[in-house]
Amino acid sequence: DTEFGPELLGYSTSTRKLVHNFGMNVDNEGGQLGAVAISPDGSTAWTWGQYKPSVDSTADALYKLNLSTGAPTIIPLSGTASTGQLPTAVVVSSDGGTVYTVDNNASVEKIDTTTSEVSDIGVDSNVRGLALSKYDATLYVAESNGEIETIDTASGDKDTDWDFAAPDNTSFASIGLTPNGNDLVVVGTD
């Protein structure tokens, strides 16, 4: 029997009603779903969780959900990164080929959705949020130490040389980027 645990739900913003309950093959004994991202074209939802490939095992997977049909695709994950940690942030490239996540270990992971390969992207501090530029060239990383790091997605080069006046002892919790890419909005806590 397939066990279902956490749910991914779709609501209509016009009717304010539940319009779809996406069936998720997630182990209800500790299985989890993490943050969710919607593809730029609005056709797909991405989330990371766990599934049961057999009765006695649980494995990490990226879930790709077709929002028109409700059909989930389970992409088993492999690689050397610290999978198994519920993601706190997820962003997806415009073509859906790459998903970036922040796991509970506060590290950034890059997932190739074609090969299912997971790789860790080294960052300076505990990461709390991600934003991806319009053309996928830059990954913005909000860190708990109150700093912003940018990562060139093609080269992997990192830049922490941001000049901003954050209040002392500010910890960043989340980050967003305006559609035109001109402004970052960061949630800071102290």
Side-chain angles (χ1 to χ4, degrees), residues 67-89:
L67 294 175
S68 295
T69 65
T73 301
I74 299 172
I75 303 170
L77 299 179
S78 62
T80 59
S82 56
T83 59
Q85 301 294 323
L86 182 67
T88 57

Side-chain angles (χ1 to χ4, degrees), residues 48-50 59-61 77-89 101-111 116-123 126-127:
W48 184 359
Q50 296 175 327
D60 298 310
L77 299 179
S78 62
T80 59
S82 56
T83 59
Q85 301 294 323
L86 182 67
T88 57
T101 68
V102 176
D103 70 16
N104 274 339
N105 290 331
S107 64
V108 178
E109 294 173 341
K110 177 180 178 180
I111 302 168
S116 304
E117 184 69 23
V118 180
S119 56
D120 186 63
I121 298 176
V123 292
N126 288 333
V127 178

